[in-house]
Amino acid sequence: MSKIEQELCSQPDIWLEARDLVSSVEKFLPPAGERVAVFGCGTSLYMAEAAARWREDAGQGETDAFASSEFPSSRSYDACVAISRSGTTTEVLDVLGRISGSTLLITADRDTAAAQVALHTISLPFADEQSVVQTRFATGFLALWRAHLGHDIEVLASDGRRSLDAELPDNVASYSQFVFLGHGPAGAIAAEAALKMREAAGCWTEAYPSMEFRHGPISAVGEHTLVWSLDPLDPSLRQEIVTTGAAVTEGAADPMVELLRVQRTAVKLAVLKGLDPDRPRHLSRSVILTSLGAT
Ligand code: F1P
């Protein structure tokens, strides 16, 4: 069994562990009312976007999310939160080194460069991973964040267990294009779902906020496409997608729960294609640049 398969199956347990950590680290998490920026790269960027949206939806205060490389130095926030499993990603270190004020790093490994620069660090060593492709660190962070916002992680974990056994879309290997959709936090999770299919299975994938799909992307889909919504689709949009000849699948539960089905599909496709889902092409556990702007 691949590392990613073992790690993705452990997510419901990791979510409960992350929830149990909240009481001891709550003092470092941004309190209600603060203006907050959350940032990261790759998977951690999409987790930042979902976390920002969930925080605002919970009425906790204005929350922006940025790719680390696009962090706007001109703005000032009450607190800046960096998400990085490795704690070594160059662009994350760069932002932490340039901003002043309250900074918090959420990472899997406390003994890394980023932890030296951040004012506070919360580490989730129990969620660390051996696969290059992130699953449980990402959703473990979200479980911690959402527990802090008052979300019921127990329910998510039991729905997550069911999702690990739920059916996957039929004939996944027959599609050449995968389009992920979602509204609100589910839009960020859709972007992460698309990334998982690229990293683990080398697929051609896209992600859009659900209602943006009509504004152009719909022109490129057809019988070769699987459209996968991370949350329930608007019925009229669903009908329009079906009319194109594309297949549709949609999550009925929380997008973080539905993500497990996508992760499982990515692993299944990788195996069918003869790829190693733990070792994506051209990708390492952490992107470390010799100088910013280098490739
Ligand atoms: C960020 C990241 C991952 C990606 C790969 C390379 O890592 O871009 O999203 O899957 O592992 O690194 P990190 O800053 O969260 O360690």
Side-chain angles (χ1 to χ4, degrees):
M1 196 191 264
S2 57
K3 296 291 178 205
I4 187 177
E5 209 170 344
Q6 292 167 32
E7 288 160 359
L8 82 84
C9 288
S10 71
Q11 285 173 105
D13 293 333
I14 295 291
W15 299 350
L16 295 174
E17 219 170 315
R19 174 205 60 188
D20 293 343
L21 186 68
V22 170
S23 56
S24 60
V25 300
E26 204 141 35
K27 54 183 176 290
F28 301 127
L29 290 164
E34 284 197 346
R35 220 174 136 260
V36 173
V38 193
F39 61 96
C41 298
T43 292
S44 297
L45 161 63
Y46 302 131
M47 296 305 104
E49 290 177 349
R53 193 59 192 257
W54 265 312
R55 184 173 186 268
E56 282 209 359
D57 289 353
Q60 295 260 315
E62 203 173 296
T63 314
D64 292 327
F66 298 104
S68 307
S69 54
E70 301 294 331
F71 194 94
S73 307
S74 53
R75 295 201 197 166
S76 81
Y77 290 95
D78 298 318
C80 295
V81 182
I83 317 300
S84 178
R85 174 181 69 176
S86 63
T88 55
T89 299
T90 301
E91 296 97 314
V92 173
L93 281 165
D94 176 60
V95 177
L96 284 172
R98 93 182 133 76
I99 51 180
S100 52
S102 178
T103 53
L104 167 67
L105 168 71
I106 302 183
T107 184
D109 185 352
R110 172 172 288 280
D111 298 321
T112 52
Q116 309 297 317
V117 195
L119 187 61
H120 302 294
T121 297
I122 295 174
S123 61
L124 312 176
F126 53 86
D128 204 355
E129 294 158 311
Q130 284 179 269
S131 180
V132 166
V133 179
Q134 295 197 28
T135 54
R136 71 183 191 186
F137 171 73
T139 60
F141 153 68
L142 281 182
L144 174 91
W145 187 266
R146 297 180 68 180
H148 172 62
L149 298 177
H151 294 200
D152 190 337
I153 307 302
E154 194 83 47
V155 170
L156 289 175
S158 57
D159 288 351
R161 285 199 185 91
R162 270 193 294 279
S163 190
L164 290 174
D165 291 326
E167 274 188 31
L168 301 181
D170 289 335
N171 306 319
V172 275
S174 67
Y175 302 107
S176 59
Q177 181 192 24
F178 296 85
V179 177
F180 293 92
L181 302 177
H183 171 65
I189 304 292
E192 166 60 5
L195 184 69
K196 244 27 356 159
M197 296 279 282
R198 282 179 216 127
E199 288 181 336
C203 295
W204 171 20
T205 66
E206 300 147 44
Y208 307 99
S210 304
M211 297 301 275
E212 282 298 304
F213 184 69
R214 286 187 177 99
H215 297 274
I218 195 166
S219 305
V221 304
E223 282 168 9
H224 60 289
T225 315
L226 175 64
V227 178
W228 193 327
S229 179
L230 275 288
D231 57 356
L233 274 172
D234 172 83
S236 68
L237 177 57
R238 182 179 217 287
Q239 187 48 49
E240 281 182 53
I241 298 169
V242 169
T243 305
T244 66
V248 186
T249 185
E250 59 194 298
D254 188 278
M256 189 165 112
V257 169
E258 182 66 2
L259 180 62
L260 305 196
R261 229 160 58 90
V262 181
Q263 294 166 344
R264 289 173 52 220
T265 302
V267 172
K268 180 178 171 178
L269 264 175
V271 172
L272 285 171
K273 291 166 81 172
L275 298 172
D276 178 350
D278 289 329
R279 295 182 188 284
R281 286 180 303 162
H282 322 302
L283 186 65
S284 50
R285 172 177 162 90
S286 172
V287 175
I288 299 174
L289 307 175
T290 46
S291 67
L292 264 185
T295 52

